Amino acid sequence: MAQARPLLAPLSRLGVSSSSIPKSDIPRLTSLSYQTIRCATMKAKPTQQKKKKTRNTFIQYDLKRADQFSLVDAMHYIRAFEVGRNPSSSKYEMHVRVRTLKNGPVVRNRLRLPHAVKTDLRICVICPPGSKVAIEAKAAGASLVGEDEIFERVKEGVVEFDRCICHTDSLQKLNKAGVARILGPRGLMPSNKTGTVVTQVGTTVRNMVGGSEYRERLGVIRMAVGQLGFTPEEMQTNVKAFMDTLKKDIGQMSDRISKEIHEVVLSSTHSPGFTLNGEFRNANSVPTKDLSGPM
Amino acid sequence: MVHIVKRMRKLRELLWIRVGPGAIIFPKEVSKIRMEFSANIEGGHRGARKFWREMLPRIKYRNPALPIEISRHKDKLGPSILEVYTTVKAAAAAATPASTTPTPSAEAGAGATQDTLSASPEAPAHTIDLRMAQESEILAQLIARTGATVLKATAEEKEELAEIAEFKERSEKDRVEVREKLEAKRREEEMLRLARGEMVAAT
């Protein structure tokens, strides 16, 4: 006992809180058999022994009892929650829950909303400087165009863009330049998989300037769909555009995969999520004119 | 995604934005509300922030077309005011002649015009000093000055609110119970572990 104490004390201090250092009068091994805790989980033990079947779909829930809102109602609430916030920093977000497999392919695309959410995107285009492509990219709104200069800058650690696309001809040069180590972790490295290696640079840049990306994660697709200052009508067109593209995307996936839209939720930076029922407004909604003004 | 039950519970609690202090409807001539206070509560700006967080959403919900603007500065000695702009300023000023130049907020109002830009060119019809004021006092003043109508909760809404309150109370009790049970279990395990550890050390 006398030897054990100094050995044990520092260990227990490391592992658990020091309050649990045993006092010498703890009745060891005496009343252990009576120390079981009586609660419901203990009774269920024998059934737990059977190995649980792993599910390969996400748990779905019934929306019958859920409160659902029309778009105007949801915006009415959201605008109240966002009162006094900076209208340019708070955004409307959509969350779309899909019925899908856990390990299946995911929806992933980019689209250009009718009313752009983010307008100050800096785009870098990698193509031979001075070529026709470069001029085209500049005209479309790219902020950085070039090859070697950009590589040099990136290697120095100066990354002054939010998106990076690459012309097909320059891909080899890009891969040799060794910037993947810097761009990769930031998700900026152009690759065929993300659709950022293209031949028609001009159109891609143009799409990107007002465009935003979405992808499915854990059965949910999230995307910012509007600024807080948008009117209900603007929001309606944006939401419609988003849902249409999403449905088209899902339709394009192979026949064996079934994906269905389960729930559509609208929220914003400071508000709770409102499940939408697909209607624009109902009889009791406030007039849309009221929601169109400044915050 | 947040679990559906959690979300629906939160939505049920949305009731708080419909009823309670701040559920008022302004008369038509009120055209804009503007608040200005410090980002930090130091220097008597606590009530102003509370008012913004708790009551302004209700006001905005009931008056969706009313623009409400908030600017927060870093200076704890800076202005702490609430301004109400009206469309028919002359009439409002005539109706409440005393409130246009209230004595306590005189210096605060002067400070506002000096070092901060007033958003609209015309002067506000009412200015309320928020420094060292409780949020309920601010609301009372606002109602008194603008003549807003206060909405009372209906019987059903009251019932629902009581239900939510009861639910919260119960959940707090449950939480304590579960925590106790869990802690007891952890203590047992800890003791067992130590007992075993000591035995190993002894042999």
Side-chain angles (χ1 to χ4, degrees), chain A residues 16 20 22 28-29 32 35 37 61 66-67 69 76-77 79-81 83-85 95 220 222 263 265 273-275 290 295, chain B residues 1 4 7-8 10-11 14 16-18 52-53 56-57 60-61 64-65 67-68 70 185 188 190 192 194-195 198-199:
Chain A
V16 288
S20 57
R28 269 176 294 128
L29 294 177
L32 282 188
Q35 283 178 347
I37 294 156
Y61 39 80
D67 300 330
F69 295 79
H76 185 188
Y77 277 115
R79 280 172 69 99
F81 275 102
V83 66
R85 308 279 183 183
H95 313 254
V220 186
R222 297 186 178 83
E263 191 191 6
V265 176
F274 294 86
T275 304
D290 282 2
M295 280 302 292
Chain B
M1 204 176 239
I4 182 93
R7 270 190 290 143
M8 286 307 134
K10 188 120 194 173
L11 283 187
L14 263 191
W16 75 259
I17 206 173
R18 272 180 268 143
W52 165 43
R53 292 267 163 91
L56 268 188
K60 179 73 180 169
Y61 178 74
I68 296 176
I70 284 177
K185 194 176 156 203
E188 288 303 334
E190 180 62 20
L192 276 177
L194 281 176
E198 272 200 358
M199 265 172 46

Short mmCIF file of all heavy atoms in Angstrom, two decimals, chain A residues 16 20 22 28-29 32 35 37 61 66-67 69 76-77 79-81 83-85 95 220 222 263 265 273-275 290 295, chain B residues 1 4 7-8 10-11 14 16-18 52-53 56-57 60-61 64-65 67-68 70 185 188 190 192 194-195 198-199:
data_model
loop_
_atom_site.label_atom_id
_atom_site.label_comp_id
_atom_site.label_asym_id
_atom_site.label_seq_id
_atom_site.Cartn_x
_atom_site.Cartn_y
_atom_site.Cartn_z
N VAL A 16 -7.41 11.52 -14.64
CA VAL A 16 -8.73 12.01 -14.23
C VAL A 16 -8.56 13.13 -13.23
O VAL A 16 -7.44 13.45 -12.82
CB VAL A 16 -9.57 10.88 -13.60
CG1 VAL A 16 -10.00 9.91 -14.65
CG2 VAL A 16 -8.78 10.20 -12.52
N SER A 20 -10.70 12.44 -7.54
CA SER A 20 -11.01 11.03 -7.48
C SER A 20 -9.84 10.19 -6.94
O SER A 20 -9.84 8.98 -7.06
CB SER A 20 -11.38 10.52 -8.85
OG SER A 20 -10.33 10.80 -9.74
N PRO A 22 -8.07 8.04 -4.51
CA PRO A 22 -8.77 7.24 -3.50
C PRO A 22 -8.36 7.60 -2.08
O PRO A 22 -7.19 7.86 -1.81
CB PRO A 22 -8.34 5.82 -3.84
CG PRO A 22 -7.04 5.98 -4.53
CD PRO A 22 -7.10 7.28 -5.25
N ARG A 28 -12.80 -1.42 -0.68
CA ARG A 28 -12.49 -2.05 -1.95
C ARG A 28 -13.05 -3.46 -2.02
O ARG A 28 -12.92 -4.23 -1.07
CB ARG A 28 -10.99 -2.09 -2.17
CG ARG A 28 -10.49 -0.85 -2.91
CD ARG A 28 -9.01 -0.86 -3.02
NE ARG A 28 -8.35 -0.75 -1.73
CZ ARG A 28 -7.43 -1.57 -1.31
NH1 ARG A 28 -7.04 -2.57 -2.05
NH2 ARG A 28 -6.88 -1.39 -0.14
N LEU A 29 -13.59 -3.82 -3.12
CA LEU A 29 -14.04 -5.18 -3.42
C LEU A 29 -15.10 -5.70 -2.46
O LEU A 29 -15.50 -6.84 -2.54
CB LEU A 29 -12.85 -6.16 -3.38
CG LEU A 29 -11.80 -5.95 -4.45
CD1 LEU A 29 -10.65 -6.92 -4.24
CD2 LEU A 29 -12.40 -6.12 -5.83
N LEU A 32 -18.97 -4.58 -4.21
CA LEU A 32 -19.01 -4.38 -5.66
C LEU A 32 -20.25 -5.02 -6.29
O LEU A 32 -20.81 -4.48 -7.22
CB LEU A 32 -17.76 -4.99 -6.31
CG LEU A 32 -16.50 -4.15 -6.18
CD1 LEU A 32 -15.41 -4.76 -7.02
CD2 LEU A 32 -16.77 -2.73 -6.63
N GLN A 35 -23.25 -2.83 -6.76
CA GLN A 35 -23.04 -1.50 -7.33
C GLN A 35 -23.60 -1.33 -8.73
O GLN A 35 -23.32 -0.36 -9.39
CB GLN A 35 -21.55 -1.18 -7.35
CG GLN A 35 -21.07 -0.79 -5.97
CD GLN A 35 -19.60 -0.52 -5.98
OE1 GLN A 35 -18.93 -0.86 -6.93
NE2 GLN A 35 -19.11 0.06 -4.91
N ILE A 37 -26.01 -0.22 -11.53
CA ILE A 37 -26.95 0.90 -11.58
C ILE A 37 -28.20 0.42 -12.27
O ILE A 37 -28.15 -0.18 -13.34
CB ILE A 37 -26.33 2.07 -12.35
CG1 ILE A 37 -25.15 2.57 -11.54
CG2 ILE A 37 -27.33 3.17 -12.56
CD1 ILE A 37 -24.16 3.27 -12.36
N TYR A 61 -37.43 11.26 -41.67
CA TYR A 61 -38.47 11.55 -40.71
C TYR A 61 -39.71 11.97 -41.46
O TYR A 61 -39.67 12.33 -42.63
CB TYR A 61 -38.02 12.64 -39.75
CG TYR A 61 -37.24 13.72 -40.42
CD1 TYR A 61 -37.86 14.74 -41.13
CD2 TYR A 61 -35.85 13.69 -40.39
CE1 TYR A 61 -37.14 15.70 -41.77
CE2 TYR A 61 -35.12 14.66 -41.04
CZ TYR A 61 -35.77 15.66 -41.72
OH TYR A 61 -35.05 16.61 -42.37
N ALA A 66 -44.80 18.40 -39.21
CA ALA A 66 -43.92 19.58 -39.15
C ALA A 66 -44.66 20.84 -39.58
O ALA A 66 -45.55 20.78 -40.42
CB ALA A 66 -42.71 19.35 -40.04
N ASP A 67 -44.30 21.94 -38.97
CA ASP A 67 -44.85 23.22 -39.41
C ASP A 67 -44.18 23.61 -40.71
O ASP A 67 -42.97 23.57 -40.80
CB ASP A 67 -44.55 24.33 -38.39
CG ASP A 67 -45.13 24.00 -37.05
OD1 ASP A 67 -46.16 23.33 -37.03
OD2 ASP A 67 -44.56 24.43 -36.04
N PHE A 69 -44.00 26.55 -43.95
CA PHE A 69 -44.27 27.96 -44.18
C PHE A 69 -44.25 28.25 -45.67
O PHE A 69 -43.53 27.60 -46.42
CB PHE A 69 -43.19 28.82 -43.50
CG PHE A 69 -43.18 28.71 -42.01
CD1 PHE A 69 -42.59 27.63 -41.39
CD2 PHE A 69 -43.75 29.69 -41.23
CE1 PHE A 69 -42.58 27.52 -40.02
CE2 PHE A 69 -43.75 29.60 -39.86
CZ PHE A 69 -43.15 28.51 -39.25
N HIS A 76 -40.82 36.87 -43.82
CA HIS A 76 -41.33 37.80 -42.81
C HIS A 76 -40.64 37.53 -41.47
O HIS A 76 -40.13 38.45 -40.82
CB HIS A 76 -42.84 37.60 -42.70
CG HIS A 76 -43.53 38.56 -41.79
ND1 HIS A 76 -44.83 38.44 -41.45
CD2 HIS A 76 -43.08 39.65 -41.14
CE1 HIS A 76 -45.17 39.42 -40.63
NE2 HIS A 76 -44.12 40.16 -40.43
N TYR A 77 -40.59 36.26 -41.09
CA TYR A 77 -39.94 35.90 -39.83
C TYR A 77 -38.44 36.18 -39.89
O TYR A 77 -37.85 36.73 -38.96
CB TYR A 77 -40.15 34.42 -39.53
CG TYR A 77 -41.46 34.11 -38.87
CD1 TYR A 77 -42.42 33.35 -39.50
CD2 TYR A 77 -41.73 34.56 -37.58
CE1 TYR A 77 -43.63 33.04 -38.89
CE2 TYR A 77 -42.93 34.27 -36.97
CZ TYR A 77 -43.87 33.52 -37.62
OH TYR A 77 -45.05 33.23 -37.00
N ARG A 79 -36.73 38.20 -41.68
CA ARG A 79 -36.38 39.63 -41.64
C ARG A 79 -36.52 40.19 -40.23
O ARG A 79 -35.80 41.10 -39.84
CB ARG A 79 -37.25 40.40 -42.61
CG ARG A 79 -36.76 40.28 -44.05
CD ARG A 79 -37.75 40.89 -44.99
NE ARG A 79 -37.82 42.32 -44.87
CZ ARG A 79 -37.21 43.18 -45.68
NH1 ARG A 79 -36.50 42.73 -46.67
NH2 ARG A 79 -37.34 44.47 -45.52
N ALA A 80 -37.45 39.64 -39.47
CA ALA A 80 -37.58 40.09 -38.09
C ALA A 80 -36.39 39.63 -37.26
O ALA A 80 -35.88 40.36 -36.41
CB ALA A 80 -38.87 39.56 -37.49
N PHE A 81 -35.93 38.40 -37.53
CA PHE A 81 -34.79 37.91 -36.77
C PHE A 81 -33.50 38.64 -37.12
O PHE A 81 -32.60 38.74 -36.32
CB PHE A 81 -34.59 36.41 -37.03
CG PHE A 81 -35.43 35.55 -36.15
CD1 PHE A 81 -36.57 34.96 -36.63
CD2 PHE A 81 -35.08 35.35 -34.83
CE1 PHE A 81 -37.36 34.18 -35.80
CE2 PHE A 81 -35.85 34.57 -34.01
CZ PHE A 81 -37.00 33.99 -34.49
N VAL A 83 -33.13 41.73 -37.74
CA VAL A 83 -33.30 43.17 -37.61
C VAL A 83 -32.00 43.83 -37.13
O VAL A 83 -31.32 43.32 -36.24
CB VAL A 83 -34.48 43.49 -36.66
CG1 VAL A 83 -34.18 43.06 -35.25
CG2 VAL A 83 -34.82 44.96 -36.70
N GLY A 84 -31.67 44.91 -37.77
CA GLY A 84 -30.50 45.67 -37.34
C GLY A 84 -29.17 45.09 -37.77
O GLY A 84 -28.13 45.63 -37.44
N ARG A 85 -29.19 43.98 -38.49
CA ARG A 85 -27.92 43.41 -38.95
C ARG A 85 -27.52 44.08 -40.25
O ARG A 85 -28.35 44.64 -40.96
CB ARG A 85 -28.05 41.91 -39.18
CG ARG A 85 -28.63 41.17 -38.03
CD ARG A 85 -27.57 40.92 -37.00
NE ARG A 85 -28.14 40.12 -35.91
CZ ARG A 85 -27.44 39.79 -34.84
NH1 ARG A 85 -26.20 40.17 -34.71
NH2 ARG A 85 -27.99 39.10 -33.89
N HIS A 95 -31.41 24.85 -47.49
CA HIS A 95 -30.92 23.52 -47.12
C HIS A 95 -31.91 22.54 -47.72
O HIS A 95 -33.09 22.60 -47.41
CB HIS A 95 -30.89 23.33 -45.62
CG HIS A 95 -30.26 24.48 -44.89
ND1 HIS A 95 -29.02 24.42 -44.35
CD2 HIS A 95 -30.71 25.73 -44.65
CE1 HIS A 95 -28.74 25.58 -43.79
NE2 HIS A 95 -29.75 26.39 -43.95
N VAL A 220 -27.56 16.40 -47.34
CA VAL A 220 -28.13 17.75 -47.37
C VAL A 220 -27.34 18.61 -48.34
O VAL A 220 -26.11 18.55 -48.37
CB VAL A 220 -28.09 18.41 -45.98
CG1 VAL A 220 -28.82 19.72 -46.01
CG2 VAL A 220 -28.70 17.51 -44.94
N ARG A 222 -26.59 22.45 -49.29
CA ARG A 222 -26.76 23.79 -48.73
C ARG A 222 -26.20 24.81 -49.71
O ARG A 222 -25.18 24.58 -50.33
CB ARG A 222 -26.00 23.92 -47.42
CG ARG A 222 -26.50 23.01 -46.35
CD ARG A 222 -25.78 23.30 -45.05
NE ARG A 222 -26.30 22.46 -43.98
CZ ARG A 222 -25.90 21.22 -43.78
NH1 ARG A 222 -24.99 20.67 -44.56
NH2 ARG A 222 -26.40 20.52 -42.80
N GLU A 263 -37.04 17.53 -48.11
CA GLU A 263 -37.43 18.71 -47.37
C GLU A 263 -36.62 19.90 -47.85
O GLU A 263 -35.44 19.77 -48.15
CB GLU A 263 -37.16 18.48 -45.87
CG GLU A 263 -37.77 19.54 -45.00
CD GLU A 263 -37.29 19.45 -43.56
OE1 GLU A 263 -36.40 18.65 -43.28
OE2 GLU A 263 -37.80 20.22 -42.75
N VAL A 265 -35.53 23.74 -46.69
CA VAL A 265 -35.53 24.63 -45.53
C VAL A 265 -34.88 25.95 -45.92
O VAL A 265 -33.85 25.96 -46.60
CB VAL A 265 -34.76 24.00 -44.35
CG1 VAL A 265 -34.68 24.95 -43.20
CG2 VAL A 265 -35.43 22.72 -43.92
N GLY A 273 -34.36 27.70 -38.98
CA GLY A 273 -34.72 27.22 -40.31
C GLY A 273 -36.23 27.06 -40.44
O GLY A 273 -36.89 26.58 -39.53
N PHE A 274 -36.74 27.47 -41.59
CA PHE A 274 -38.17 27.37 -41.84
C PHE A 274 -38.39 26.39 -42.97
O PHE A 274 -37.87 26.58 -44.07
CB PHE A 274 -38.74 28.74 -42.23
CG PHE A 274 -38.67 29.74 -41.13
CD1 PHE A 274 -37.53 30.50 -40.95
CD2 PHE A 274 -39.72 29.90 -40.26
CE1 PHE A 274 -37.45 31.42 -39.92
CE2 PHE A 274 -39.65 30.81 -39.23
CZ PHE A 274 -38.51 31.57 -39.07
N THR A 275 -39.14 25.35 -42.70
CA THR A 275 -39.46 24.39 -43.74
C THR A 275 -40.45 25.02 -44.71
O THR A 275 -41.48 25.52 -44.30
CB THR A 275 -40.08 23.14 -43.13
OG1 THR A 275 -39.17 22.65 -42.16
CG2 THR A 275 -40.31 22.08 -44.15
N ASP A 290 -44.41 45.00 -48.39
CA ASP A 290 -43.87 45.28 -47.06
C ASP A 290 -42.49 44.68 -46.86
O ASP A 290 -41.70 45.18 -46.06
CB ASP A 290 -44.81 44.73 -45.99
CG ASP A 290 -46.01 45.62 -45.80
OD1 ASP A 290 -46.10 46.62 -46.53
OD2 ASP A 290 -46.86 45.31 -44.94
N MET A 295 -34.09 47.07 -44.83
CA MET A 295 -34.29 46.35 -43.56
C MET A 295 -34.80 47.30 -42.49
O MET A 295 -34.28 47.79 -41.64
CB MET A 295 -32.98 45.71 -43.12
CG MET A 295 -32.70 44.44 -43.84
SD MET A 295 -34.00 43.27 -43.58
CE MET A 295 -33.76 42.93 -41.84
N MET B 1 -27.89 18.20 -41.03
CA MET B 1 -28.98 19.11 -40.73
C MET B 1 -29.40 18.93 -39.28
O MET B 1 -29.33 17.82 -38.75
CB MET B 1 -30.14 18.78 -41.66
CG MET B 1 -31.07 19.94 -41.88
SD MET B 1 -32.31 19.49 -43.07
CE MET B 1 -32.04 20.70 -44.30
N ILE B 4 -34.92 17.17 -36.76
CA ILE B 4 -36.25 17.74 -37.04
C ILE B 4 -36.96 18.14 -35.75
O ILE B 4 -37.60 19.19 -35.67
CB ILE B 4 -37.08 16.74 -37.87
CG1 ILE B 4 -38.45 17.31 -38.22
CG2 ILE B 4 -37.30 15.45 -37.14
CD1 ILE B 4 -38.48 17.99 -39.51
N ARG B 7 -35.61 21.31 -34.47
CA ARG B 7 -36.02 22.45 -35.30
C ARG B 7 -37.47 22.82 -35.04
O ARG B 7 -37.82 23.99 -34.95
CB ARG B 7 -35.81 22.11 -36.77
CG ARG B 7 -34.44 22.50 -37.25
CD ARG B 7 -34.34 22.37 -38.73
NE ARG B 7 -34.35 20.99 -39.14
CZ ARG B 7 -34.94 20.56 -40.24
NH1 ARG B 7 -35.58 21.40 -41.01
NH2 ARG B 7 -34.91 19.29 -40.57
N MET B 8 -38.29 21.79 -34.94
CA MET B 8 -39.71 22.07 -34.75
C MET B 8 -39.97 22.69 -33.38
O MET B 8 -40.84 23.53 -33.22
CB MET B 8 -40.53 20.78 -34.91
CG MET B 8 -40.62 20.34 -36.34
SD MET B 8 -41.23 21.65 -37.39
CE MET B 8 -40.11 21.57 -38.75
N LYS B 10 -37.93 24.60 -31.86
CA LYS B 10 -37.51 25.99 -32.00
C LYS B 10 -38.59 26.80 -32.72
O LYS B 10 -38.87 27.94 -32.34
CB LYS B 10 -36.21 26.02 -32.81
CG LYS B 10 -35.57 27.36 -32.87
CD LYS B 10 -34.19 27.31 -32.28
CE LYS B 10 -33.69 28.69 -32.05
NZ LYS B 10 -32.44 28.74 -31.35
N LEU B 11 -39.18 26.20 -33.71
CA LEU B 11 -40.22 26.92 -34.46
C LEU B 11 -41.43 27.15 -33.58
O LEU B 11 -42.11 28.16 -33.70
CB LEU B 11 -40.63 26.12 -35.69
CG LEU B 11 -39.66 26.17 -36.85
CD1 LEU B 11 -40.26 25.49 -38.05
CD2 LEU B 11 -39.31 27.59 -37.21
N LEU B 14 -41.14 29.99 -31.68
CA LEU B 14 -41.24 31.20 -32.49
C LEU B 14 -42.31 32.12 -31.95
O LEU B 14 -42.33 33.30 -32.24
CB LEU B 14 -41.66 30.83 -33.90
CG LEU B 14 -40.60 30.69 -34.92
CD1 LEU B 14 -41.25 30.61 -36.27
CD2 LEU B 14 -39.71 31.88 -34.87
N TRP B 16 -42.50 33.40 -29.36
CA TRP B 16 -41.96 34.53 -28.62
C TRP B 16 -41.83 35.77 -29.48
O TRP B 16 -41.87 36.89 -28.97
CB TRP B 16 -40.64 34.18 -27.94
CG TRP B 16 -39.43 34.09 -28.85
CD1 TRP B 16 -38.87 32.96 -29.32
CD2 TRP B 16 -38.63 35.16 -29.36
NE1 TRP B 16 -37.81 33.25 -30.11
CE2 TRP B 16 -37.62 34.59 -30.15
CE3 TRP B 16 -38.68 36.53 -29.24
CZ2 TRP B 16 -36.67 35.36 -30.80
CZ3 TRP B 16 -37.71 37.29 -29.90
CH2 TRP B 16 -36.73 36.70 -30.67
N ILE B 17 -41.69 35.58 -30.76
CA ILE B 17 -41.54 36.75 -31.61
C ILE B 17 -42.89 37.38 -31.93
O ILE B 17 -42.99 38.53 -32.32
CB ILE B 17 -40.77 36.40 -32.90
CG1 ILE B 17 -40.07 37.63 -33.45
CG2 ILE B 17 -41.67 35.82 -33.95
CD1 ILE B 17 -39.18 37.35 -34.58
N ARG B 18 -43.95 36.63 -31.74
CA ARG B 18 -45.27 37.17 -32.05
C ARG B 18 -45.88 37.89 -30.85
O ARG B 18 -46.58 38.86 -31.00
CB ARG B 18 -46.19 36.03 -32.50
CG ARG B 18 -46.09 35.79 -33.97
CD ARG B 18 -46.99 34.67 -34.39
NE ARG B 18 -46.27 33.40 -34.37
CZ ARG B 18 -46.82 32.26 -34.01
NH1 ARG B 18 -48.05 32.20 -33.62
NH2 ARG B 18 -46.11 31.16 -34.04
N TRP B 52 -32.47 45.76 -28.52
CA TRP B 52 -32.27 45.33 -29.90
C TRP B 52 -32.47 43.82 -30.04
O TRP B 52 -33.20 43.34 -30.91
CB TRP B 52 -30.87 45.74 -30.37
CG TRP B 52 -30.40 45.09 -31.61
CD1 TRP B 52 -31.12 44.89 -32.76
CD2 TRP B 52 -29.11 44.56 -31.86
NE1 TRP B 52 -30.34 44.27 -33.69
CE2 TRP B 52 -29.11 44.05 -33.17
CE3 TRP B 52 -27.94 44.48 -31.10
CZ2 TRP B 52 -27.98 43.45 -33.73
CZ3 TRP B 52 -26.81 43.90 -31.67
CH2 TRP B 52 -26.85 43.39 -32.97
N ARG B 53 -31.86 43.07 -29.15
CA ARG B 53 -31.88 41.62 -29.29
C ARG B 53 -33.24 41.03 -28.97
O ARG B 53 -33.64 40.02 -29.55
CB ARG B 53 -30.84 40.99 -28.35
CG ARG B 53 -29.42 41.29 -28.73
CD ARG B 53 -28.86 40.20 -29.63
NE ARG B 53 -27.66 40.63 -30.32
CZ ARG B 53 -26.44 40.47 -29.85
NH1 ARG B 53 -26.26 39.91 -28.69
NH2 ARG B 53 -25.41 40.88 -30.54
N LEU B 56 -36.64 44.37 -30.58
CA LEU B 56 -36.69 44.83 -31.97
C LEU B 56 -37.21 43.76 -32.93
O LEU B 56 -37.96 44.09 -33.84
CB LEU B 56 -35.32 45.35 -32.42
CG LEU B 56 -35.09 46.84 -32.23
CD1 LEU B 56 -33.79 47.23 -32.89
CD2 LEU B 56 -36.21 47.67 -32.82
N PRO B 57 -36.84 42.46 -32.75
CA PRO B 57 -37.43 41.47 -33.65
C PRO B 57 -38.95 41.48 -33.62
O PRO B 57 -39.60 41.36 -34.65
CB PRO B 57 -36.88 40.15 -33.13
CG PRO B 57 -35.59 40.50 -32.51
CD PRO B 57 -35.79 41.87 -31.93
N LYS B 60 -40.13 44.51 -35.46
CA LYS B 60 -39.96 44.33 -36.90
C LYS B 60 -40.97 43.34 -37.44
O LYS B 60 -41.47 43.50 -38.56
CB LYS B 60 -38.53 43.83 -37.16
CG LYS B 60 -38.20 43.58 -38.60
CD LYS B 60 -38.04 44.84 -39.39
CE LYS B 60 -37.71 44.54 -40.83
NZ LYS B 60 -37.80 45.71 -41.68
N TYR B 61 -41.29 42.34 -36.65
CA TYR B 61 -42.26 41.35 -37.12
C TYR B 61 -43.63 41.99 -37.28
O TYR B 61 -44.35 41.70 -38.23
CB TYR B 61 -42.34 40.19 -36.12
CG TYR B 61 -43.36 39.15 -36.51
CD1 TYR B 61 -43.09 38.29 -37.55
CD2 TYR B 61 -44.58 39.07 -35.87
CE1 TYR B 61 -44.02 37.35 -37.95
CE2 TYR B 61 -45.52 38.14 -36.26
CZ TYR B 61 -45.23 37.29 -37.30
OH TYR B 61 -46.16 36.37 -37.70
N PRO B 64 -43.46 45.04 -40.61
CA PRO B 64 -42.44 44.55 -41.54
C PRO B 64 -41.92 45.60 -42.52
O PRO B 64 -40.80 45.51 -42.99
CB PRO B 64 -43.16 43.41 -42.28
CG PRO B 64 -44.59 43.62 -42.05
CD PRO B 64 -44.73 44.35 -40.75
N ALA B 65 -42.75 46.60 -42.80
CA ALA B 65 -42.32 47.58 -43.81
C ALA B 65 -41.48 48.70 -43.22
O ALA B 65 -40.96 49.54 -43.94
CB ALA B 65 -43.54 48.17 -44.51
N PRO B 67 -38.38 50.46 -41.89
CA PRO B 67 -36.92 50.26 -41.89
C PRO B 67 -36.35 50.53 -40.50
O PRO B 67 -36.67 51.54 -39.87
CB PRO B 67 -36.39 51.30 -42.89
CG PRO B 67 -37.58 51.90 -43.52
CD PRO B 67 -38.75 51.65 -42.65
N ILE B 68 -35.54 49.62 -40.04
CA ILE B 68 -34.89 49.78 -38.73
C ILE B 68 -33.39 49.69 -38.97
O ILE B 68 -32.90 48.74 -39.57
CB ILE B 68 -35.34 48.70 -37.74
CG1 ILE B 68 -36.83 48.85 -37.48
CG2 ILE B 68 -34.56 48.80 -36.45
CD1 ILE B 68 -37.42 47.79 -36.59
N ILE B 70 -29.42 50.08 -37.39
CA ILE B 70 -28.64 50.10 -36.16
C ILE B 70 -27.20 50.36 -36.50
O ILE B 70 -26.64 49.73 -37.42
CB ILE B 70 -28.77 48.75 -35.42
CG1 ILE B 70 -30.13 48.67 -34.74
CG2 ILE B 70 -27.67 48.59 -34.38
CD1 ILE B 70 -30.39 47.39 -34.06
N LYS B 185 -22.61 6.90 -12.18
CA LYS B 185 -22.05 5.79 -12.95
C LYS B 185 -20.56 6.01 -13.18
O LYS B 185 -19.75 5.09 -13.02
CB LYS B 185 -22.79 5.73 -14.29
CG LYS B 185 -22.55 4.46 -15.04
CD LYS B 185 -23.39 4.47 -16.29
CE LYS B 185 -22.79 3.57 -17.33
NZ LYS B 185 -23.20 3.93 -18.66
N GLU B 188 -18.60 5.31 -10.04
CA GLU B 188 -18.46 3.87 -9.81
C GLU B 188 -17.33 3.32 -10.67
O GLU B 188 -16.45 2.60 -10.19
CB GLU B 188 -19.75 3.13 -10.18
CG GLU B 188 -20.90 3.34 -9.22
CD GLU B 188 -20.55 2.95 -7.80
OE1 GLU B 188 -19.65 2.11 -7.62
OE2 GLU B 188 -21.15 3.53 -6.88
N GLU B 190 -14.91 4.80 -11.99
CA GLU B 190 -13.63 5.34 -11.56
C GLU B 190 -13.10 4.54 -10.38
O GLU B 190 -11.92 4.15 -10.33
CB GLU B 190 -13.83 6.82 -11.19
CG GLU B 190 -12.60 7.52 -10.73
CD GLU B 190 -11.56 7.55 -11.83
OE1 GLU B 190 -11.90 7.36 -13.02
OE2 GLU B 190 -10.38 7.73 -11.49
N LEU B 192 -13.88 1.53 -9.48
CA LEU B 192 -13.53 0.18 -9.92
C LEU B 192 -12.15 0.17 -10.57
O LEU B 192 -11.31 -0.68 -10.29
CB LEU B 192 -14.56 -0.33 -10.92
CG LEU B 192 -15.81 -0.95 -10.34
CD1 LEU B 192 -16.75 -1.32 -11.45
CD2 LEU B 192 -15.44 -2.18 -9.54
N LEU B 194 -9.75 2.26 -10.16
CA LEU B 194 -8.69 2.50 -9.18
C LEU B 194 -8.43 1.25 -8.36
O LEU B 194 -7.28 0.91 -8.08
CB LEU B 194 -9.10 3.65 -8.26
CG LEU B 194 -8.90 5.03 -8.88
CD1 LEU B 194 -9.40 6.09 -7.95
CD2 LEU B 194 -7.44 5.26 -9.22
N ALA B 195 -9.53 0.58 -8.01
CA ALA B 195 -9.36 -0.63 -7.22
C ALA B 195 -8.54 -1.65 -7.98
O ALA B 195 -7.58 -2.23 -7.47
CB ALA B 195 -10.74 -1.21 -6.89
N GLU B 198 -4.89 -0.51 -8.23
CA GLU B 198 -4.14 -0.68 -6.98
C GLU B 198 -3.76 -2.13 -6.77
O GLU B 198 -2.67 -2.43 -6.33
CB GLU B 198 -5.02 -0.21 -5.82
CG GLU B 198 -4.84 1.28 -5.56
CD GLU B 198 -5.30 1.66 -4.19
OE1 GLU B 198 -5.78 0.79 -3.45
OE2 GLU B 198 -5.16 2.83 -3.86
N MET B 199 -4.70 -3.01 -7.14
CA MET B 199 -4.43 -4.43 -6.96
C MET B 199 -3.25 -4.86 -7.79
O MET B 199 -2.37 -5.57 -7.34
CB MET B 199 -5.67 -5.24 -7.33
CG MET B 199 -6.50 -5.56 -6.11
SD MET B 199 -8.04 -6.31 -6.49
CE MET B 199 -7.60 -7.54 -7.67
#
